[in-house]
Amino acid sequence: MSIDFNMFMNDVVQQARKEIVAAGYTELTTAEEVEDCLAKEGTTLVMVNSVCGCAGGIARPAAANAIHFDKRPDQLVTVFAGQDKDATAKARSYFEGYPPSSPSFALLKDGKILTMVERHEIEGHDPMSVVSKLQQAFDEYCEEV
């Protein structure tokens, strides 16, 4: 029995995309969409999505659960590393002082980076510890909903 690797990966990517969009995040697939989004006033959480099995499987549930909190960002968006390369590169250009990391979360205000939860803070941790890190950032930087 043989498996078509490209078909398998397309299924994995589509499932990862659906999962984060179903959680309430807007998918940004072009550099222009990223620019337009990050030009808006207010706080924005950018989830850098990834098909990385271990970390991605922790980051997406954490992204879905972290937003059920008294304070949260004005915008919830996602770019997909390795898939929407221009959008991801443009988003990362806003993450000054942080190396590329996926999956990861960046919290920005008025297009300026406030803090990040990087891959090394996701991989090997349970989803609730990532939720806690995100909610600590929301508590510090975001307004009550």
Side-chain angles (χ1 to χ4, degrees):
M1 177 178 188
S2 68
I3 296 175
D4 182 331
F5 182 75
N6 289 330
M7 187 176 282
F8 171 76
M9 285 310 297
N10 284 338
D11 288 346
V12 171
V13 168
Q14 289 309 313
Q15 182 58 38
R17 286 183 189 276
K18 287 180 187 174
E19 200 173 326
I20 199 68
V21 169
Y25 289 71
T26 301
E27 196 169 36
L28 307 177
T29 59
T30 67
E32 294 77 20
E33 288 175 339
V34 171
E35 282 180 356
D36 290 346
C37 175
L38 296 180
K40 295 178 183 172
E41 288 185 10
T43 53
T44 302
L45 181 66
V46 179
M47 191 273 188
V48 180
N49 203 350
S50 169
V51 292
C52 166
C54 298
I58 294 166
R60 285 185 297 277
N65 287 291
I67 60 176
H68 301 288
F69 194 63
D70 291 342
K71 295 181 178 181
R72 73 173 211 207
D74 300 314
Q75 298 184 94
L76 303 169
V77 300
T78 183
V79 294
F80 208 120
Q83 301 298 313
D84 302 318
K85 294 177 182 177
D86 292 340
T88 303
K90 180 51 79 176
R92 285 178 171 156
S93 75
Y94 288 83
F95 308 161
E96 293 177 15
Y98 293 93
S101 176
S102 60
S104 62
F105 298 90
L107 184 61
L108 299 96
K109 182 168 185 173
D110 302 335
K112 303 289 182 203
I113 188 75
L114 297 170
T115 190
M116 280 196 76
V117 176
E118 299 174 88
R119 180 190 175 108
H120 69 85
E121 298 173 278
I122 299 169
E123 189 173 36
H125 295 83
D126 64 278
M128 288 313 295
S129 68
V130 179
V131 167
S132 179
K133 286 179 189 287
L134 290 169
Q135 289 179 342
Q136 286 172 4
F138 299 168
D139 199 38
E140 184 172 348
Y141 298 110
C142 299
E143 300 294 320
E144 201 163 313
V145 197

